[in-house]
């Protein structure tokens, strides 16, 4: 961890291909924020970023609970942390996945959201008293950028019935929900937790865990979101009023909110059409920016030029640019027009921050453009104020790209 390069010293090497700059220090800080402020067990949703150095850093920070959705995610965590608690929280699994997870990988927690999945579990591995079935339910409106309740989650009545049936059969039972990704209202968690309490009361069955999912937001530009602490406060207050003496364990499994801030992406400008304010980058929506296709999120960015190994930040007069990625597909365009310096030219570098969640995780190799690789750095873009970043001393000897 010592002598890691800074983002600027990575830029100084003039990388031709996109590079994800990972700060273990920043991720450790975020893990500690969750561990110290969330009133229960903190897990991590592997799908948001399965990069091994992310997982290793979280394990070192003390996170031992992982939300996994596939056998490959299960294998990944088992390799890095054989004793971790795995929550197979994908409510729809194949018989093969259920069997492998239970028998080969010691998975003892699985989500379900209908009777057919419960039937499938029983016909595949039988009733297991050491298996915790977590019933995913949903309530009406979502205040999130992604409303995940369209795909998963059962109604109050069905959740009550499923809870009873699974418990009567002899499984351990729990409840979970996901308020939607990039959830903008802390009250959503309280509403969901009270809805969970109503399910528990109507079923008359105590639950082992209440898993409040992910959804904790990241501070993108132009997104006026409440501070993370307000989410923790809302959850803690509702927990105290509804579950305090229940013997139930409170769990969360953030993805984006945990991992977004620790990764910055260094991209290079392949071409500028100055007359049209159009820029072509070496990465696009088929790579690091795929999530932008589904929900535009304005990412913080800074622009740099390298001359004789010296990095300087471009002038702060900015204007909107149309941004194309490197493929020949006309859909390879950012759905919003970011602000870049009006000095931007071919060969310059643009660093985007808040790239940890759903950046590298969703990148494709479409058209022969491979996903960027990872390098370890000591900082994030947010560690630097604009003025101190300009002319910052860059020591190339520290900047060896792994
Ligand atoms: C994707 C997912 C998460 C993480 O969601 P974020 O919005 O990234 O925090 C948590 N739990 C489940 C079941 C998920 O599918």
């Amino acid at each position: 961890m010592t002598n890691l390069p800074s983002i600027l010293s990575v830029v100084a090497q003039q990388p031709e291909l996109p590079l994800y700059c990972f700060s273990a220090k920043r991720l450790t800080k975020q893990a500690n924020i969750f561990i110290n402020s969330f009133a229960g067990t903190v897990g991590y949703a592997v799908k948001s970023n399965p990069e091994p150095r992310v997982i290793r850093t979280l394990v070192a920070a003390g996170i031992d609970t992982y939300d996994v959705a596939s056998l490959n995610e299960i294998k990944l965590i088992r390799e890095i942390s054989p004793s971790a608690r795995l929550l197979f929280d994908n409510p729809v699994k194949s018989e093969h996945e259920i069997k492998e997870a239970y028998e080969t990988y010691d998975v003892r927690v699985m989500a379900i959201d209908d009777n057919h999945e419960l039937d499938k579990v029983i016909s595949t591995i039988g009733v297991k008293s050491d298996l915790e079935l977590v019933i995913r339910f949903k309530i009406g409106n979502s205040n999130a950028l992604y409303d995940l309740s369209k795909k998963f989650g059962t109604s109050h009545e069905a959740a009550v019935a499923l809870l009873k049936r699974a418990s009567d059969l002899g499984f351990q039972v729990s409840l979970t929900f996901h308020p939607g990704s990039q959830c903008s209202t802390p009250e959503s968690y309280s509403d969901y937790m009270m809805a969970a309490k109503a399910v528990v009361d109507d079923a008359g069955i105590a639950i082992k865990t209440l898993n409040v999912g992910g959804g904790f937001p990241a501070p993108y530009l132009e997104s006026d979101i409440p501070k993370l602490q307000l989410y923790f406060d809302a959850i803690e207050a509702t927990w105290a009023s509804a579950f305090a003496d229940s013997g139930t364990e409170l769990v969360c499994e953030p993805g984006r909110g945990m991992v977004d801030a620790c990764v910055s992406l260094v991209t290079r400008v392949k071409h500028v059409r100055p007359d049209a304010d159009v820029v072509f980058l070496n990465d696009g929506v088929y790579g690091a920016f795929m999530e932008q296709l589904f929900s535009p999120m304005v990412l913080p960015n800074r622009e740099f030029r390298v001359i004789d190994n010296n990095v300087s930040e471009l002038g702060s007069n900015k204007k909107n640019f149309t941004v194309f990625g490197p493929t020949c597909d006309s859909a390879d365009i950012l759905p919003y027009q970011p602000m870049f310096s009006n000095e931007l030219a071919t060969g310059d570098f643009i660093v985007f921050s808040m790239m940890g969640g759903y950046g590298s995780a969703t990148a494709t190799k479409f058209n022969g453009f491979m996903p960027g690789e990872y390098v370890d750095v000591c900082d994030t873009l947010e560690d630097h104020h604009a003025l101190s970043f300009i002319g910052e001393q860059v020591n190339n000897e520290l900047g060896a790209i792994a």
Side-chain angles (χ1 to χ4, degrees), residues 36-51:
N36 295 330
S37 306
F38 180 76
T41 302
V42 177
Y44 171 63
V46 175
K47 80 167 181 292
S48 62
N49 192 328
E51 164 67 27

Side-chain angles (χ1 to χ4, degrees), residues 45 47 67 89 136 178 181 214-215 253-256 358:
K47 80 167 181 292
D67 161 37
D89 279 345
R136 171 108 166 233
H178 193 302
S181 205
E253 48 187 26
R256 182 194 309 282
Y358 309 104

Side-chain angles (χ1 to χ4, degrees), residues 88-163:
F88 201 171
D89 279 345
N90 186 342
V92 174
K93 302 165 286 298
S94 71
E95 293 183 351
H96 173 71
E97 287 166 339
I98 292 167
K99 196 170 158 52
E100 280 284 292
Y102 185 85
E103 292 177 359
T104 308
Y105 296 105
D106 269 331
V107 173
R108 291 295 178 268
V109 183
M110 295 185 194
I112 60 173
D113 72 352
D114 67 17
N115 267 308
H116 309 292
E117 187 76 2
L118 179 50
D119 293 340
K120 200 195 287 168
V121 169
I122 295 166
S123 66
T124 308
I125 55 173
V127 172
K128 300 286 181 190
S129 59
D130 65 351
L131 181 60
E132 179 184 342
L133 290 181
V134 186
I135 292 146
R136 171 108 166 233
F137 72 99
K138 64 178 165 193
I139 54 177
N141 298 338
S142 165
N143 283 312
L145 207 49
Y146 289 95
D147 179 3
L148 296 176
S149 70
K150 286 191 190 115
K151 185 163 185 180
F152 295 126
T154 188
S155 67
H156 170 90
E157 291 73 23
V160 169
L162 261 178
L163 203 57

Side-chain angles (χ1 to χ4, degrees), residues 151-226:
K151 185 163 185 180
F152 295 126
T154 188
S155 67
H156 170 90
E157 291 73 23
V160 169
L162 261 178
L163 203 57
K164 281 189 189 157
R165 184 178 166 219
S167 175
D168 288 350
L169 281 165
F171 291 101
Q172 300 173 40
V173 288
S174 296
L175 285 173
T176 190
F177 59 83
H178 193 302
S181 205
Q182 189 69 4
C183 179
S184 58
T185 48
E187 307 77 50
S188 296
Y189 290 86
S190 307
D191 294 348
Y192 258 107
M193 290 169 76
M194 292 315 293
K197 164 86 170 140
V199 172
V200 168
D201 287 349
D202 284 356
I205 288 167
I207 52 171
K208 187 154 190 277
T209 59
L210 175 62
N211 182 334
V212 301
F216 301 92
Y220 303 112
L221 300 180
E222 298 173 17
S223 74
D224 198 12
I225 55 152

